Amino acid sequence: MRSHLLDWLARAPARAIACSGGVDSLTLAALAHRASPATTLVVHSITPAVPAAATARVLRMAAEQRWDLRTVRSREFEDARYLANPRDRCYVCKSHLYEAMHDVVGAVGGTHTLLSGANVDDLGEYRPGLRAAAEAGVRHPYVEIGARKVDVRALARELDLDVADLPASPCLASRLYTGTPVTPARLHAVEIGEALLVAHTGAAVVRCRLREDEVSIEVRDGDRESVTPAVVADVLAAMRAVDPAIRAAALDEQAYRPGRAFTLTPVVR
């Protein structure tokens, strides 16, 4: 895979990579920088929807590997469409991100190709952000060479990156059920709640899904017993300290499943 990806990158010698802080985009940024550091920009958006740990990860790797990192503040939180959390929220968000990336590229001459870390596995899901990418002329090297998530993780190990086994962690807004309005307080509450869950349980994958004022805690089957009533109470208290509007929390009856908060139509209560 490495040679195929290097061949692809050679055909786009000037590139700007959208780096969220996940294994896909970090691995792409690392390889692209090693191949051509002078013509590789790495762009990271600092926003309430991106976990602080993800931003810290990008900043650390950029410093260690001397990336040409540009941080932006995309303007999705100024867009009422995004705040309403419709089913195409990701389209609105990515549209703002790619607009900000075009501004970065324009400031340095405007010749860089915009790249994302989307892989083939992402194509099997409803991803309105991919429509925004198409409209903005963003390309997806992993998709174009047929690479899946497992291939990306293998490449990360080959490059000796310490993020190869990093669990998937989409933006914090993905924890809000469709139709539950997005607010910075809600997102920060989710972030605090999930950090506390990890600290209490040691679970690798946790989710605090928020439907209006109710939190559904999701973990994998093997971790359910560790989410005791006392843990749930602690998580609720920590989240309410950030957003007092949150009323209740409970362990979901079902085990963790990716994307559960996304529904084709908003939940009506």
Side-chain angles (χ1 to χ4, degrees), residues 62-145:
E64 291 173 352
Q65 302 185 29
R66 299 185 179 183
W67 295 348
D68 187 352
L69 174 67
R70 310 298 175 96
T71 59
V72 299
R73 293 188 180 274
S74 50
R75 302 174 65 181
E76 69 271 19
F77 278 82
E78 300 174 23
D79 192 324
R81 296 174 300 165
Y82 175 84
L83 299 178
N85 195 12
R87 63 188 300 265
D88 64 346
R89 181 199 68 243
C90 289
Y91 168 80
V92 178
C93 179
K94 293 295 187 183
S95 295
H96 283 287
L97 170 63
Y98 297 138
E99 181 181 0
M101 290 183 69
H102 276 299
D103 290 343
V104 168
V105 168
V108 297
T111 62
H112 293 65
T113 301
L114 271 56
L115 308 183
S116 91
N119 63 69
V120 170
D121 293 338
D122 296 326
L123 303 182
E125 305 172 3
Y126 176 68
R127 294 268 181 153
L130 293 176
R131 177 163 59 94
E135 292 176 0
V138 178
R139 297 185 64 182
H140 315 291
Y142 294 138
V143 172
E144 294 189 31
I145 67 169

XYZ file of all heavy atoms in Angstrom, residues 62-145:
663
model
N 2.666 17.266 14.783
C 3.190 18.321 13.913
C 4.514 18.851 14.439
O 5.453 19.100 13.665
C 2.180 19.454 13.796
N 4.597 19.011 15.764
C 5.844 19.502 16.356
C 6.949 18.460 16.247
O 8.101 18.790 15.897
C 5.611 19.875 17.812
N 6.614 17.207 16.514
C 7.616 16.136 16.469
C 8.157 15.932 15.058
O 9.355 15.695 14.872
C 7.009 14.823 16.978
C 6.702 14.821 18.471
C 5.953 13.579 18.901
O 5.525 12.784 18.027
O 5.786 13.392 20.124
N 7.272 16.022 14.056
C 7.674 15.714 12.688
C 7.877 16.958 11.830
O 8.172 16.853 10.644
C 6.628 14.791 12.057
C 6.441 13.501 12.846
C 5.504 12.517 12.176
O 5.374 12.483 10.955
N 4.845 11.689 12.981
N 7.723 18.122 12.451
C 7.965 19.402 11.796
C 7.090 19.610 10.555
O 7.556 20.022 9.487
C 9.454 19.546 11.434
C 10.350 19.510 12.656
C 11.796 19.769 12.305
N 12.630 19.756 13.512
C 13.929 20.005 13.519
N 14.561 20.280 12.381
N 14.609 19.979 14.648
N 5.799 19.315 10.728
C 4.851 19.572 9.650
C 4.655 21.073 9.476
O 4.818 21.854 10.421
C 3.493 18.959 9.979
C 3.468 17.472 10.065
C 4.426 16.594 9.671
C 2.399 16.689 10.611
N 4.029 15.307 9.921
C 2.786 15.333 10.502
C 1.169 16.990 11.173
C 1.978 14.285 10.924
C 0.352 15.957 11.609
C 0.756 14.614 11.477
N 4.245 21.435 8.289
C 3.770 22.800 8.050
C 2.286 22.794 8.388
O 1.435 22.567 7.529
C 4.008 23.207 6.598
C 3.682 24.673 6.334
O 3.129 25.320 7.251
O 3.971 25.152 5.222
N 1.992 23.015 9.667
C 0.619 22.917 10.161
C -0.035 24.286 10.161
O 0.529 25.261 10.664
C 0.613 22.346 11.582
C -0.746 22.307 12.289
C -1.686 21.322 11.600
C -0.566 21.935 13.765
N -1.237 24.347 9.618
C -2.052 25.565 9.668
C -3.335 25.231 10.415
O -4.065 24.314 10.030
C -2.384 26.050 8.249
C -1.180 26.146 7.309
C -0.146 27.141 7.797
N 1.038 27.137 6.970
C 1.256 28.002 5.969
N 0.343 28.939 5.694
N 2.377 27.936 5.261
N -3.598 25.935 11.495
C -4.862 25.759 12.215
C -5.855 26.812 11.740
O -5.483 27.958 11.475
C -4.671 25.864 13.738
O -4.125 27.133 14.065
C -3.766 24.749 14.240
N -7.096 26.388 11.611
C -8.158 27.294 11.169
C -9.322 27.188 12.145
O -9.411 26.247 12.932
C -8.650 26.947 9.742
C -7.515 27.080 8.734
C -9.243 25.535 9.687
N -10.185 28.151 12.085
C -11.433 28.104 12.843
C -12.567 28.187 11.830
O -12.959 29.273 11.405
C -11.494 29.250 13.861
C -10.453 29.109 14.960
C -10.619 30.124 16.068
N -9.603 29.969 17.102
C -9.685 29.143 18.141
N -10.774 28.396 18.273
N -8.719 29.049 19.028
N -13.022 27.010 11.415
C -14.118 26.984 10.445
C -15.363 27.554 11.112
O -15.494 27.557 12.335
C -14.357 25.555 9.945
O -14.469 24.649 11.007
N -16.299 28.009 10.313
C -17.375 28.853 10.835
C -18.720 28.137 10.916
O -19.772 28.756 10.827
C -17.485 30.100 9.952
C -16.178 30.892 9.903
C -16.239 32.046 8.931
N -17.225 33.048 9.349
C -17.482 34.157 8.661
N -16.832 34.395 7.525
N -18.373 35.018 9.105
N -18.697 26.838 11.154
C -19.970 26.113 11.210
C -20.842 26.570 12.375
O -22.074 26.524 12.285
C -19.731 24.595 11.277
C -19.129 24.076 12.563
C -17.615 24.079 12.556
O -17.024 24.802 11.731
O -17.033 23.374 13.386
N -20.236 27.033 13.473
C -21.039 27.458 14.613
C -21.691 28.824 14.394
O -22.462 29.280 15.241
C -20.193 27.448 15.885
C -20.084 26.070 16.489
C -19.149 25.170 16.004
C -20.927 25.659 17.500
C -19.051 23.887 16.528
C -20.842 24.384 18.034
C -19.901 23.495 17.545
N -21.393 29.435 13.271
C -22.090 30.664 12.885
C -23.214 30.378 11.893
O -23.868 31.301 11.414
C -21.096 31.647 12.267
C -19.962 32.044 13.208
C -18.920 32.899 12.520
O -19.248 33.532 11.493
O -17.773 32.922 12.999
N -23.435 29.102 11.608
C -24.409 28.686 10.601
C -25.609 28.015 11.288
O -25.468 26.964 11.918
C -23.747 27.717 9.621
C -24.574 27.458 8.385
O -25.811 27.408 8.493
O -23.983 27.285 7.296
N -26.782 28.625 11.154
C -27.982 28.090 11.805
C -28.321 26.688 11.315
O -28.902 25.884 12.064
C -29.164 29.027 11.568
N -27.971 26.381 10.076
C -28.244 25.034 9.555
C -27.492 23.991 10.367
O -28.048 22.947 10.732
C -27.837 24.942 8.087
C -28.618 25.836 7.136
C -28.008 25.758 5.744
N -26.612 26.201 5.754
C -25.740 25.979 4.776
N -26.109 25.272 3.706
N -24.500 26.434 4.852
N -26.240 24.240 10.644
C -25.426 23.307 11.425
C -25.962 23.175 12.840
O -26.113 22.065 13.360
C -23.979 23.794 11.452
C -23.073 22.972 12.337
C -22.494 21.801 11.872
C -22.802 23.364 13.647
C -21.666 21.043 12.683
C -21.980 22.610 14.467
C -21.413 21.448 13.977
O -20.592 20.697 14.800
N -26.281 24.295 13.468
C -26.734 24.282 14.854
C -28.037 23.517 15.030
O -28.293 22.947 16.090
C -26.890 25.716 15.363
C -25.607 26.569 15.374
C -25.915 27.979 15.845
C -24.529 25.924 16.235
N -28.860 23.473 13.993
C -30.123 22.738 14.063
C -29.922 21.227 14.008
O -30.847 20.460 14.286
C -31.047 23.177 12.929
N -28.723 20.775 13.642
C -28.376 19.354 13.586
C -29.302 18.546 12.674
O -29.931 17.564 13.096
C -28.377 18.752 14.992
C -27.672 17.404 15.051
O -26.990 16.991 14.114
N -27.845 16.706 16.156
N -29.392 18.935 11.402
C -30.204 18.164 10.455
C -29.468 16.898 10.037
O -28.317 16.667 10.429
C -30.334 19.133 9.273
C -29.030 19.893 9.305
C -28.711 20.071 10.766
N -30.113 16.095 9.220
C -29.485 14.841 8.810
C -28.247 15.061 7.953
O -27.379 14.191 7.867
C -30.486 13.945 8.085
C -31.031 14.507 6.779
C -32.163 13.642 6.230
N -31.756 12.274 5.967
C -31.346 11.845 4.770
N -31.284 12.674 3.747
N -31.000 10.596 4.597
N -28.126 16.251 7.332
C -26.929 16.533 6.543
C -25.995 17.506 7.255
O -25.290 18.282 6.624
C -27.305 17.057 5.155
C -28.027 18.399 5.202
O -28.464 18.800 6.304
O -28.150 19.044 4.148
N -25.999 17.433 8.595
C -25.124 18.318 9.375
C -23.671 18.238 8.900
O -22.967 19.240 8.816
C -25.185 17.936 10.850
C -24.331 18.810 11.771
C -24.061 18.135 13.103
N -23.185 16.980 12.947
C -23.541 15.738 13.225
N -24.747 15.474 13.688
N -22.706 14.725 13.041
N -23.198 17.027 8.606
C -21.805 16.855 8.185
C -21.519 17.597 6.882
O -20.402 18.080 6.671
C -21.473 15.379 8.016
S -21.383 14.485 9.583
N -22.500 17.684 6.016
C -22.322 18.439 4.772
C -22.060 19.905 5.077
O -21.151 20.521 4.519
C -23.559 18.302 3.883
C -23.570 19.271 2.721
C -22.831 19.015 1.570
C -24.307 20.452 2.790
C -22.813 19.922 0.512
C -24.298 21.356 1.732
C -23.552 21.084 0.606
O -23.534 21.990 -0.429
N -22.852 20.467 5.978
C -22.687 21.874 6.341
C -21.323 22.099 6.977
O -20.592 23.034 6.635
C -23.809 22.326 7.297
C -23.609 23.779 7.700
C -25.179 22.124 6.662
N -20.962 21.210 7.906
C -19.687 21.338 8.611
C -18.507 21.251 7.649
O -17.605 22.100 7.672
C -19.587 20.241 9.674
S -18.045 20.281 10.607
N -18.492 20.221 6.808
C -17.367 20.039 5.888
C -17.302 21.158 4.859
O -16.207 21.543 4.421
C -17.482 18.690 5.191
C -17.317 17.491 6.096
C -15.925 17.399 6.690
C -15.725 16.096 7.449
N -14.391 16.037 8.085
N -18.449 21.692 4.477
C -18.429 22.820 3.535
C -17.662 23.994 4.122
O -16.853 24.644 3.440
C -19.859 23.246 3.181
O -20.544 22.228 2.473
N -17.889 24.261 5.403
C -17.156 25.352 6.066
C -15.670 25.016 6.211
O -14.807 25.883 6.035
C -17.773 25.644 7.427
C -19.051 26.424 7.348
N -19.082 27.766 7.027
C -20.351 26.048 7.540
C -20.339 28.193 7.030
N -21.129 27.168 7.336
N -15.374 23.759 6.531
C -13.974 23.356 6.662
C -13.226 23.538 5.345
O -12.128 24.115 5.310
C -13.889 21.891 7.107
C -12.480 21.274 7.051
C -11.534 21.991 8.005
C -12.550 19.776 7.368
N -13.816 23.061 4.255
C -13.115 23.133 2.978
C -13.017 24.568 2.475
O -12.049 24.935 1.797
C -13.795 22.224 1.955
C -13.744 20.760 2.352
C -14.851 19.917 2.184
C -12.606 20.217 2.934
C -14.804 18.590 2.565
C -12.552 18.882 3.325
C -13.659 18.083 3.131
O -13.608 16.759 3.516
N -13.988 25.386 2.827
C -13.875 26.808 2.503
C -12.669 27.422 3.220
O -11.894 28.188 2.632
C -15.154 27.538 2.901
C -15.133 29.031 2.588
C -16.402 29.749 3.009
O -17.318 29.096 3.546
O -16.473 30.978 2.810
N -12.508 27.069 4.496
C -11.360 27.567 5.254
C -10.051 27.041 4.676
O -9.042 27.765 4.628
C -11.497 27.161 6.722
N -10.049 25.789 4.225
C -8.841 25.234 3.628
C -8.495 25.932 2.325
O -7.322 26.196 2.031
C -9.007 23.734 3.405
C -9.031 22.921 4.690
S -9.137 21.139 4.372
C -7.504 20.822 3.643
N -9.503 26.233 1.517
C -9.245 26.980 0.276
C -8.638 28.339 0.589
O -7.758 28.826 -0.136
C -10.539 27.142 -0.514
C -10.874 25.971 -1.390
N -10.043 25.550 -2.421
C -11.944 25.127 -1.417
C -10.581 24.504 -3.027
N -11.729 24.228 -2.433
N -9.080 28.968 1.682
C -8.503 30.251 2.076
C -7.025 30.093 2.419
O -6.192 30.942 2.057
C -9.257 30.829 3.273
C -10.661 31.303 2.921
O -10.944 31.489 1.713
O -11.476 31.472 3.858
N -6.690 29.010 3.126
C -5.287 28.744 3.466
C -4.453 28.546 2.200
O -3.372 29.117 2.050
C -5.177 27.499 4.383
C -3.724 27.041 4.502
C -5.757 27.794 5.753
N -4.975 27.738 1.303
C -4.255 27.470 0.061
C -4.098 28.753 -0.761
O -3.033 29.024 -1.321
C -4.997 26.383 -0.753
C -4.441 26.299 -2.170
C -4.867 25.038 -0.057
N -5.145 29.546 -0.820
C -5.069 30.802 -1.554
C -4.001 31.728 -1.013
O -3.333 32.445 -1.771
N -3.794 31.693 0.297
C -2.802 32.572 0.918
C -1.374 32.183 0.577
O -0.457 33.003 0.707
C -2.989 32.569 2.429
N -1.175 30.922 0.130
C 0.188 30.481 -0.210
C 0.363 30.247 -1.706
O 1.318 29.609 -2.129
C 0.563 29.201 0.567
C 0.585 29.465 2.051
C -0.381 28.045 0.242
N -0.568 30.730 -2.496
C -0.393 30.625 -3.946
C -1.473 29.875 -4.683
O -1.569 29.968 -5.897
N -2.280 29.089 -3.966
C -3.447 28.478 -4.584
C -3.204 27.291 -5.471
O -4.051 26.959 -6.305
N -2.083 26.569 -5.309
C -1.805 25.429 -6.195
C -1.982 24.073 -5.501
O -1.841 23.038 -6.148
C -0.370 25.511 -6.738
O 0.553 25.451 -5.645
C -0.161 26.808 -7.517
N -2.258 24.064 -4.224
C -2.341 22.807 -3.486
C -3.676 22.095 -3.730
O -4.733 22.718 -3.741
C -2.195 23.052 -1.983
C -0.843 23.541 -1.573
N -0.340 24.757 -1.975
C 0.107 22.973 -0.780
C 0.864 24.927 -1.454
N 1.149 23.864 -0.726
N -3.598 20.766 -3.889
C -4.790 19.931 -3.982
C -5.262 19.601 -2.568
O -4.458 19.208 -1.715
C -4.480 18.620 -4.727
O -3.997 18.924 -6.035
C -5.729 17.752 -4.842
N -6.555 19.751 -2.315
C -7.103 19.423 -0.998
C -7.326 17.922 -0.894
O -7.916 17.304 -1.787
C -8.432 20.157 -0.766
C -8.361 21.552 -0.128
C -7.461 22.474 -0.930
C -9.742 22.146 0.034
N -6.832 17.320 0.209
C -6.938 15.882 0.412
C -7.629 15.581 1.736
O -7.509 16.333 2.699
C -5.548 15.230 0.444
C -4.590 15.513 -0.718
C -3.302 14.707 -0.523
C -5.235 15.182 -2.046
N -8.343 14.460 1.773
C -8.948 13.987 3.014
C -8.454 12.586 3.315
O -7.896 11.899 2.459
C -10.482 13.975 2.902
O -10.944 12.713 2.434
N -8.694 12.129 4.554
C -8.292 10.792 4.961
C -9.395 9.763 4.841
O -9.296 8.685 5.437
N -10.442 10.034 4.084
C -11.515 9.054 3.896
C -10.956 7.785 3.261
O -10.104 7.843 2.366
C -12.613 9.640 3.013
N -11.432 6.628 3.732
C -11.000 5.365 3.146
C -12.204 4.613 2.581
O -13.349 5.063 2.724
C -10.239 4.521 4.174
C -11.089 4.112 5.355
O -12.008 3.292 5.222
N -10.817 4.675 6.529
N -11.957 3.474 1.975
C -13.013 2.736 1.284
C -14.149 2.349 2.234
O -15.318 2.358 1.846
C -12.421 1.485 0.600
C -13.530 0.571 0.085
C -11.499 1.890 -0.535
N -13.821 2.028 3.485
C -14.869 1.646 4.435
C -15.876 2.770 4.658
O -17.042 2.515 4.950
C -14.252 1.255 5.778
C -13.440 -0.021 5.698
O -13.682 -0.817 4.770
O -12.559 -0.228 6.547
N -15.430 4.002 4.513
C -16.335 5.140 4.719
C -17.414 5.222 3.645
O -18.453 5.856 3.861
C -15.540 6.455 4.718
C -14.564 6.541 5.877
O -14.883 6.024 6.959
O -13.480 7.117 5.695
N -17.178 4.593 2.506
C -18.137 4.695 1.410
C -19.391 3.881 1.655
O -20.407 4.093 0.996
C -17.481 4.241 0.094
C -16.207 4.983 -0.315
C -15.706 4.466 -1.655
C -16.438 6.487 -0.365
N -19.342 2.964 2.615
C -20.506 2.136 2.896
C -21.474 2.772 3.861
O -22.470 2.156 4.236
N -21.192 3.986 4.312
C -22.048 4.674 5.267
C -22.630 5.923 4.616
O -22.140 6.378 3.585
C -21.229 5.078 6.503
C -20.507 3.926 7.174
C -19.557 4.398 8.256
O -19.526 5.616 8.510
O -18.845 3.559 8.824
N -23.673 6.460 5.239
C -24.220 7.734 4.786
C -23.263 8.823 5.228
O -23.113 9.093 6.427
C -25.612 7.964 5.368
C -26.198 9.318 5.004
C -26.560 9.605 3.688
C -26.394 10.296 5.966
C -27.087 10.842 3.344
C -26.935 11.540 5.640
C -27.271 11.800 4.324
O -27.797 13.032 3.985
N -22.564 9.431 4.297
C -21.540 10.426 4.594
C -21.799 11.691 3.777
O -21.196 11.891 2.715
C -20.159 9.872 4.260
C -19.726 8.704 5.133
C -18.944 9.184 6.316
N -18.488 8.099 7.162
C -17.412 8.165 7.936
N -16.680 9.257 7.933
N -17.080 7.156 8.712
N -22.675 12.569 4.246
C -22.939 13.793 3.490
C -21.712 14.680 3.350
O -21.634 15.514 2.453
C -24.047 14.480 4.296
C -24.009 13.855 5.652
C -23.528 12.456 5.455
N -20.730 14.489 4.228
C -19.499 15.253 4.096
C -18.764 14.964 2.801
O -18.031 15.818 2.284
N -18.960 13.773 2.254
C -18.322 13.438 0.982
C -18.901 14.270 -0.153
O -18.209 14.568 -1.137
C -18.476 11.943 0.689
C -17.714 10.998 1.631
C -18.032 9.552 1.297
C -16.212 11.258 1.562
N -20.174 14.649 -0.040
C -20.763 15.527 -1.053
C -20.121 16.910 -0.991
O -19.833 17.518 -2.033
C -22.290 15.615 -0.847
C -23.003 16.559 -1.811
C -24.495 16.291 -1.845
N -25.121 16.437 -0.549
C -25.696 17.552 -0.113
N -25.710 18.649 -0.876
N -26.282 17.597 1.073
N -19.883 17.388 0.209
C -19.193 18.674 0.361
C -17.788 18.598 -0.218
O -17.311 19.546 -0.856
C -19.147 19.071 1.837
N -17.138 17.461 -0.010
C -15.788 17.281 -0.556
C -15.802 17.332 -2.077
O -14.949 17.971 -2.697
C -15.212 15.956 -0.073
N -16.781 16.661 -2.678
C -16.872 16.657 -4.136
C -17.080 18.073 -4.667
O -16.467 18.474 -5.667
C -18.003 15.740 -4.586
N -17.920 18.827 -3.999
C -18.191 20.197 -4.442
C -16.956 21.089 -4.305
O -16.769 22.029 -5.081
C -19.347 20.788 -3.634
C -20.684 20.120 -3.928
C -21.809 20.655 -3.051
O -21.533 21.550 -2.202
O -22.956 20.185 -3.198
N -16.109 20.779 -3.322
C -14.927 21.603 -3.074
C -13.691 21.098 -3.808
O -12.614 21.676 -3.672
C -14.641 21.653 -1.572
N -13.837 20.021 -4.569
C -12.704 19.488 -5.318
C -11.714 18.721 -4.463
O -10.551 18.549 -4.841
N -12.158 18.226 -3.307
C -11.287 17.464 -2.411
C -11.129 16.043 -2.946
O -12.093 15.426 -3.401
C -11.878 17.423 -0.986
C -10.998 16.594 -0.053
C -12.044 18.839 -0.447
N -9.914 15.516 -2.844
C -9.660 14.146 -3.299
C -9.331 13.255 -2.107
O -8.901 13.727 -1.055
C -8.539 14.136 -4.329
C -8.898 14.925 -5.586
C -7.842 14.819 -6.657
N -7.705 13.456 -7.150
C -6.813 13.093 -8.080
N -5.984 14.001 -8.580
N -6.731 11.851 -8.492
N -9.538 11.957 -2.304
C -9.397 10.980 -1.218
C -8.396 9.900 -1.655
O -8.789 8.894 -2.256
C -10.743 10.344 -0.903
C -11.880 11.318 -0.829
N -12.005 12.246 0.187
C -12.940 11.535 -1.664
C -13.095 12.973 -0.013
N -13.667 12.562 -1.122
N -7.110 10.082 -1.366
C -6.102 9.127 -1.842
C -6.363 7.682 -1.436
O -6.194 6.773 -2.264
C -4.811 9.653 -1.208
C -5.059 11.096 -0.983
C -6.507 11.220 -0.667
N -6.763 7.448 -0.192
C -7.012 6.071 0.231
C -8.106 5.432 -0.618
O -7.990 4.274 -1.025
C -7.460 6.026 1.701
C -6.439 6.439 2.725
C -6.810 7.253 3.798
C -5.116 6.003 2.663
C -5.890 7.624 4.779
C -4.189 6.376 3.626
C -4.585 7.193 4.681
O -3.680 7.562 5.649
N -9.160 6.177 -0.875
C -10.262 5.647 -1.677
C -9.777 5.341 -3.088
O -10.095 4.283 -3.656
C -11.443 6.643 -1.706
C -12.512 6.186 -2.705
C -12.052 6.795 -0.315
N -8.992 6.239 -3.628
C -8.573 6.082 -5.027
C -7.610 4.913 -5.234
O -7.508 4.383 -6.344
C -7.969 7.386 -5.534
C -9.008 8.509 -5.611
C -8.486 9.759 -6.315
O -7.630 9.628 -7.210
O -8.941 10.865 -5.960
N -6.908 4.486 -4.170
C -6.042 3.315 -4.309
C -6.685 2.065 -3.708
O -6.082 0.993 -3.687
C -4.655 3.536 -3.679
C -4.753 3.655 -2.156
C -3.973 4.755 -4.271
C -3.392 3.615 -1.452
